[in-house]
Amino acid sequence: MDESRARARAWMQRFRLVASVVAMAAVIAMAMGTSLAATASPPPAAAFGALPAMAHVALSPDGRTLAWAVDQGEKGLLAVAMDLASGQVRRSFPLGRTGKLRDLAWADDDTLLVDVSIAHSRPNWRRRERDRWEIFRTIAVDLHGGEPRLLLMDDASRGWVTGAEVVSVHGPRRGTIVMASFDFQSGRDVWAPRLFVVDLRTGKGHPLEWGADGTQDWLVDARGEPLVRSDWD
């Protein structure tokens, strides 16, 4: 019993010591912050509208490679993939200013998915103004080299389809992912939602199944097979 009380007393003493140190550190930090705030000049107005120096950070599935986008000013954005163990850049490639970077994600440990959007417009003579819209595209970049590949949407028939969504990075085969977009359904003479298996090396898509007119999303299993879909009436 005495031994238990001694341990408890020792623990309380350590707790009081730590609490005192934390409180003292907080007081010092507040004092320094007040002093710095009083002497530092405010940042220029341009700083509030500038892009972050490092954005869209993404860690590879195996945790070995870190990817991010760097703002190069007039040159636009540069995507960088770095090996964390060695600190060496595995690959970097310019994104330029032709489109807006939306996201960086990983399809696998060696393939980076780059989501971009591009603004378009054309004259509308009836309304005497321009129609404006955005086209969303996903590009696959192999860290081992080769040209970046536009996924699924390189077919001329889907050139004006506004975008395609990555449903799952787990396709039925290695090096494939599952995407959804619109495709022309000749039997009904309409554009309808459709699910595809997309090859990361070629960018080509193979149809999996059609959706309904109101299909919003699909859920697939670990092998890329469709399980359920969300339809709006």
Side-chain angles (χ1 to χ4, degrees), residues 15-39:
F15 176 79
R16 292 193 186 98
L17 178 61
V18 171
S20 299
V21 172
V22 170
M24 186 178 297
V27 171
I28 294 173
M30 290 178 63
M32 291 181 64
T34 302
S35 175
L36 289 174
T39 58

Side-chain angles (χ1 to χ4, degrees), residues 196-209:
F196 297 85
V197 174
V198 181
D199 190 308
L200 293 171
R201 304 294 173 251
T202 65
K204 303 297 183 182
H206 176 74
L208 268 180
E209 70 172 29

